[in-house]
Amino acid sequence: MVNSFDEWSRLKEVVVGSPIHYDTQDLELSFKVFFHDVAYSSFCYPYYQSNENGGSKDKSVSQENYQSSQTFATHTLKKQYLEELNEDVEELVSTLQQLDVKVHRPIPLTRSIRFETPYWKADCIPALNIRDQAIIMGNEILETPPQVRARYFENDLLKPIFYKYFEQGAKWTNMPKPIMTDRSFDTSYISGQNVPAIQEVYPQNESEFDIGYEIMFDAAQCIRFGKDILINVATKNHYLAYQWLQRHFEGKFNFHLLYQFADNHIDSIILPLKPGKLLLRNPQFFDRLPEPLKKWDIIYPPEPTENIFPTYDDDDLILTTKYIDLNVLSVDEDKIIVNSLFPELIKTLEKHGFTAIPVQHRHRRIFGGGFHCFTLDTVREGSLEDYFS
Ligand SMILES: NC(=[NH2+])NCCC[C@H](N)C(=O)O
């Protein structure tokens, strides 16, 4: 039976994503808006630092590719990375099984699939970062509305699992699905002002189906602490989702709005490891935490260095910050699955009394996720408790 209220209590069942046929990325508006901070600004990757004003990394993408949402460039991911990723994900699965956790897997993609809605076209990606589009809120499976077009049908690959839980009595809800025309996106986060992003770089073409900003939001923008849920809001799209969630869960969960902690996901910034112990990327975030969390023991991880990552080519597209390994998965209040390639983080967690279970994860920056992103904890032992008062 679905039961998951927090990020740390004893894990009993989990879904682990599938990387099979993660072959391409559509470099179109929704992708660029989503990954702006990491892939399309000078934020985190050396390539951009030497190219501050140089614009986009995908040099192959010409201005014409941006002219319409119907045309876009495609980035092909290297086979070697995918094979190595698959090995690492399989190691994660067997580690979880050895820890007595029941592992479910999505339907793997058997081929690349191009699809079309009445409004735009995209290429399916596999259900790999399954933290992003579904959240377990107690006994309820909640599917969140996609923000990247290629991910529109991704959750269908999880349906056999969700149906099994539904048969066992789970509630199962979908937030409204967006039409996702160009103008559905609030790009003011990118401009850094209350105005849309530069239209030459992020052109938002008009469509007869424009209805204004829509609810677009990822589950990974929430972090669960029993009755209390942190929710990162960076755009009007997210704010609408916040309102939807508050109304839907009124009286059951309290949502604490974090304003622009990040562009979207926050599970490489803040992760509770057990009641009273919080992993936080760095002290810059402390002042903006909800008051009750300021009383918790804060564990700051060591600053990651470039040498813990594989060396990538200039044409590889990096989708995460260097902080991605904070994205750990707790098996219980003691055991935490951590990337073996970041031994300094393992030492830090051990110093704080945790048992680190090292699993190798090489290409987290290419595929956009760590162990927390790749998993959906459907059954944990914890219950609806108040950890904030
Ligand atoms: N659930 C996820 N996919 N989380 C990934 C978050 C990665 C985050 N944007 C970073 O670059 O560090």
Side-chain angles (χ1 to χ4, degrees):
M1 180 70 178
V2 161
N3 182 84
S4 190
F5 288 93
D6 57 60
E7 311 287 341
W8 61 77
S9 63
R10 168 75 194 154
L11 182 62
K12 294 177 147 179
E13 293 187 31
V14 69
V15 189
V16 176
S18 162
I20 309 288
H21 276 289
Y22 206 136
D23 301 328
T24 59
Q25 268 139 354
D26 295 342
L27 307 178
E28 47 72 54
L29 179 75
S30 71
F31 181 89
K32 284 165 170 288
V33 168
F34 191 81
F35 289 109
H36 167 81
D37 267 5
V38 280
Y40 294 96
S41 72
S42 59
F43 189 59
C44 77
Y45 202 59
Y47 180 90
Y48 295 106
Q49 272 141 35
S50 56
N51 255 294
E52 288 267 78
N53 305 312
S56 154
K57 176 170 188 171
D58 43 296
K59 290 165 270 178
S60 57
V61 183
S62 69
Q63 204 50 39
E64 283 107 85
N65 292 118
Y66 295 113
Q67 292 311 305
S68 138
S69 54
Q70 299 301 315
T71 57
F72 49 75
T74 299
H75 173 73
T76 303
L77 291 144
K78 299 195 173 112
K79 285 233 155 37
Q80 182 207 334
Y81 301 159
L82 188 56
E83 279 162 20
E84 290 175 349
L85 175 72
N86 198 33
E87 286 170 17
D88 295 351
V89 171
E90 289 309 313
E91 191 193 332
L92 172 65
V93 169
S94 57
T95 305
L96 283 161
Q97 286 166 337
Q98 281 156 27
L99 291 162
D100 258 347
V101 179
K102 185 167 174 187
V103 177
H104 304 268
R105 302 302 302 276
I107 303 174
L109 283 186
T110 52
R111 62 198 164 87
S112 303
I113 298 168
R114 154 80 41 116
F115 65 89
E116 201 170 326
T117 73
Y119 323 107
W120 41 262
K121 297 187 179 107
D123 299 286
C124 244
I125 57 169
L128 173 63
N129 281 290
I130 55 178
R131 180 72 57 181
D132 300 353
Q133 298 193 150
I135 185 166
I136 310 297
M137 299 286 286
N139 64 346
E140 178 165 347
I141 301 165
L142 175 70
E143 295 186 60
T144 55
Q147 304 190 70
V148 175
R149 288 176 177 141
R151 307 190 70 178
Y152 208 84
F153 293 103
E154 190 182 307
N155 275 17
D156 288 352
L157 302 166
L158 295 169
K159 278 203 163 131
I161 302 166
F162 292 165
Y163 266 106
K164 247 187 260 156
Y165 284 123
F166 180 72
E167 279 160 25
Q168 294 169 12
K171 281 176 105 174
W172 184 9
T173 311
N174 266 264
M175 290 174 73
K177 285 262 193 293
I179 296 172
M180 268 184 154
T181 62
D182 288 359
R183 305 237 170 146
S184 303
F185 295 86
D186 170 13
T187 61
S188 61
Y189 177 86
I190 295 172
S191 74
Q193 287 154 348
N194 244 341
V195 296
I198 309 162
Q199 290 299 301
E200 288 80 58
V201 190
Y202 296 92
Q204 293 180 275
N205 295 300
E206 221 178 301
S207 149
E208 60 185 301
F209 300 107
D210 287 342
I211 57 160
Y213 296 146
E214 293 186 88
I215 301 180
M216 290 195 276
F217 175 80
D218 275 7
Q221 294 176 226
C222 291
I223 299 287
R224 301 162 306 158
F225 299 72
K227 262 184 113 42
D228 293 280
I229 315 287
L230 305 191
I231 171 168
N232 179 48
V233 169
T235 66
K236 181 74 186 170
N237 305 114
H238 303 158
Y239 188 73
L240 291 167
Y242 164 70
Q243 290 180 304
W244 189 97
L245 287 162
Q246 273 190 316
R247 284 178 213 167
H248 183 75
F249 289 113
E250 203 189 334
K252 186 163 184 193
F253 294 105
N254 309 320
F255 290 89
H256 301 263
L257 192 150
L258 307 178
Y259 180 65
Q260 294 192 344
F261 258 47
D263 46 359
N264 41 70
H265 304 156
I266 47 170
D267 53 355
S268 70
I269 296 179
I270 177 166
L271 265 187
L273 302 178
K274 69 190 220 181
K277 295 243 183 223
L278 186 72
L279 185 62
L280 188 64
R281 186 185 290 183
N282 59 46
Q284 271 163 268
F285 294 95
F286 181 83
D287 285 345
R288 297 195 287 145
L289 290 178
E291 286 308 316
L293 285 179
K294 291 185 180 164
K295 296 188 206 101
W296 285 33
D297 271 350
I298 310 283
I299 303 174
Y300 294 111
E303 192 69 11
T305 47
E306 283 299 329
N307 65 354
I308 65 171
F309 301 106
T311 309
Y312 290 118
D313 302 329
D314 250 7
D315 63 346
D316 289 324
L317 199 53
I318 304 294
L319 297 186
T320 78
T321 64
K322 63 178 179 178
Y323 301 101
I324 189 64
D325 290 329
L326 265 74
N327 194 263
V328 295
L329 177 69
S330 289
V331 175
D332 58 33
E333 291 188 10
D334 168 49
K335 296 192 237 13
I336 305 174
I337 298 185
V338 194
N339 195 348
S340 64
L341 301 176
F342 195 6
E344 296 303 318
L345 177 59
I346 293 180
K347 273 188 226 147
T348 301
L349 294 173
E350 286 172 346
K351 226 173 50 208
H352 283 86
F354 293 98
T355 306
I357 299 171
V359 172
Q360 173 178 257
H361 184 6
R362 283 162 282 186
H363 300 299
R364 59 275 202 210
R365 296 189 82 186
I366 296 284
F367 294 92
F371 297 132
H372 192 260
C373 310
F374 284 5
T375 52
L376 183 67
D377 36 5
T378 47
V379 185
R380 285 192 185 267
E381 225 155 56
S383 52
L384 184 62
E385 275 177 62
D386 181 353
Y387 298 99
F388 275 24
S389 52

